Amino acid sequence: MRKHKEKKLVIGISNLDEMGQRFISAWKRAEKGLPVDPTPHLYFENIMSMWKNLTPRRMELVHYLRNHKSMSIRQLAKSLNRDYKDVHSDVQSLLPIDLVQKDGDGLISVPWDSIVINLAETAVA
């Protein structure tokens, strides 16, 4: 039996210079045949941008979907006891940053087994 590899997403804050340096470092490691961390990252330019995109209601939605099967926006709104229009808006905000995904039938799910928000290396100015 094949073991399932955990799909993990790391969320953090980084400016373009830091992201460029990480990219260059990974590129150089790959060229040398050294291992490169395959973990996907979602970076925001500052803490305000992060919290604007990852509101408590949106994260509640992600958490709920993470622990339940794929469902329609209508089912999700009913399960969360929220207005359909608000849930639809939140889903539309989360789709482009890959925190949720929509399948061919229009069902919404979370593609990640775990999501880690890493603020350890973040300087708040």
Side-chain angles (χ1 to χ4, degrees):
M1 183 156 98
R2 204 169 146 186
K3 187 177 177 181
H4 168 73
K5 182 167 171 40
E6 182 183 51
K7 289 178 65 181
K8 176 173 138 180
L9 174 68
V10 176
I11 299 173
I13 298 174
S14 185
N15 63 41
L16 285 176
D17 289 339
E18 291 168 343
M19 284 189 277
Q21 288 302 317
R22 276 194 283 279
F23 176 80
I24 291 168
S25 175
W27 186 282
K28 288 180 180 177
R29 289 184 64 78
E31 282 184 330
K32 293 178 184 174
L34 298 172
V36 178
D37 181 8
T39 305
H41 287 72
L42 171 61
Y43 288 117
F44 294 92
E45 66 179 293
N46 57 50
I47 194 92
M48 297 306 287
S49 176
M50 176 189 261
W51 295 136
K52 180 182 174 203
N53 285 280
L54 306 181
T55 66
R57 291 291 215 161
R58 289 178 185 165
M59 293 312 291
E60 174 190 33
L61 182 154
V62 169
H63 178 74
Y64 185 85
L65 278 173
R66 167 71 190 81
N67 293 302
H68 294 81
K69 63 180 177 69
S70 299
M71 62 184 66
S72 70
I73 294 175
R74 189 163 308 286
Q75 290 169 313
L76 182 58
K78 185 176 179 179
S79 297
L80 295 173
N81 197 28
R82 291 185 54 200
D83 181 71
Y84 171 85
K85 187 173 124 184
D86 293 338
V87 172
H88 183 273
S89 176
D90 284 345
V91 167
Q92 294 308 309
S93 295
L94 295 169
L95 282 166
I97 58 175
D98 293 328
L99 278 175
V100 299
Q101 64 185 12
K102 187 185 288 191
D103 70 14
D105 295 326
L107 299 180
I108 308 301
S109 64
V110 173
W112 310 106
D113 296 319
S114 66
I115 299 171
V116 176
I117 297 178
N118 181 1
L119 299 178
E121 299 175 15
T122 303
V124 179

